[in-house]
Amino acid sequence: MNTVHLVVVSAGLSQPSSTRLLADRLGEATRRALSDRDEDRTVTVRVIELRELAADIANHLVTGFPGAALRDAIEATEQADGLIAVTPIFSASYSGLFKSFFDVLDNGVLAGKPVLIAATGGTARHSLALEHAMRPLFAYLRALVMPTAVYAASEDWGSGGDATTDGLAARIARAAGELADQLAGRPAAAPAAAEQVVPFAQQLTALRPAGR
């Protein structure tokens, strides 16, 4: 039986928070979509609350050494088959806490990993931050970003927002389906192999013409 490990990163600052609420809905929708595609596939969903790791993240940025809780969160993110990343929007961009967490990940660990991006904010005007801030960030990290990004403004949490054909519930279902399609066609994540380093002298030798 195959097991898919899904990690949901939530950067909400309050407790409870609309960011965590959106993160939970996306995680559950993806789990259901994956189960519908393959009933024999087991799906584990782990939510990482960055709010609880804020001090550890700051210390790691200064010292270069993660605490036990942060190290566990980093390892879970690296080993995940897929990622859902949700942040509140401040000043037309992701939060500093959100960015700091992805700053402490080793280079290349998100390469090729399916990622669903989502955000929350006070008004719909901030929704463009998904495209001009979040999507470029994960593109730079070489992640495979899903076409549908989900933004939830304050008005989306009312009954009217979910009732429309392109309301929050519909956007969540569409984005979760895209992530599930990617995960259903992927083998479970394997530990990354150590990169082979070729000595510089050997590289120079390989470049020399034969007989010289």
Side-chain angles (χ1 to χ4, degrees):
M1 182 179 292
N2 295 327
T3 300
V4 173
H5 300 286
L6 180 65
V7 166
V8 183
V9 176
S10 171
L13 299 181
S14 59
Q15 192 176 25
S17 71
S18 58
T19 300
R20 175 60 189 268
L21 180 58
L22 179 58
D24 287 342
R25 290 186 62 174
L26 287 166
E28 176 58 21
T30 304
R31 186 197 65 76
R32 289 197 309 267
L34 267 169
S35 297
D36 290 343
R37 284 157 175 75
D38 186 352
E39 294 181 355
D40 294 328
R41 190 181 296 264
T42 301
V43 184
T44 66
V45 180
R46 173 172 175 180
V47 179
I48 296 175
E49 275 276 18
L50 298 187
R51 177 179 179 274
E52 300 171 355
L53 301 171
D56 281 352
I57 292 172
N59 288 334
H60 184 24
L61 289 171
V62 174
T63 66
F65 296 98
L70 178 57
R71 185 184 307 111
D72 180 61
I74 291 173
E75 290 176 354
T77 302
E78 292 175 347
Q79 296 168 9
D81 295 296
L83 186 69
I84 297 174
V86 192
T87 179
I89 299 300
F90 298 120
S91 301
S93 188
Y94 37 68
S95 73
L97 178 60
F98 180 84
K99 178 61 161 58
S100 295
F101 176 72
F102 289 99
D103 282 344
V104 302
L105 298 181
D106 288 339
N107 186 36
V109 300
L110 295 186
K113 194 184 298 291
V115 176
L116 191 168
I117 57 174
T120 59
T123 72
R125 291 178 300 173
H126 297 302
S127 62
L128 287 177
L130 283 163
E131 302 303 326
H132 73 66
M134 288 188 73
R135 194 176 294 277
L137 168 65
F138 287 99
Y140 173 79
L141 296 173
R142 292 179 288 153
L144 179 62
V145 187
M146 298 302 98
T148 300
V150 180
Y151 180 82
S154 297
E155 60 266 26
D156 287 318
W157 298 110
S159 57
D162 271 355
T164 62
T165 56
D166 196 38
L168 181 58
R171 299 197 302 272
I172 288 173
R174 184 166 63 246
E178 291 169 357
L179 182 57
D181 286 339
Q182 285 293 327
L183 294 174
R186 291 168 56 89
E195 183 178 358
Q196 184 178 4
V197 178
V198 179
F200 184 63
Q202 184 176 337
Q203 295 181 46
L204 287 178
T205 301
L207 293 173
R208 291 173 183 165
R212 295 189 180 181

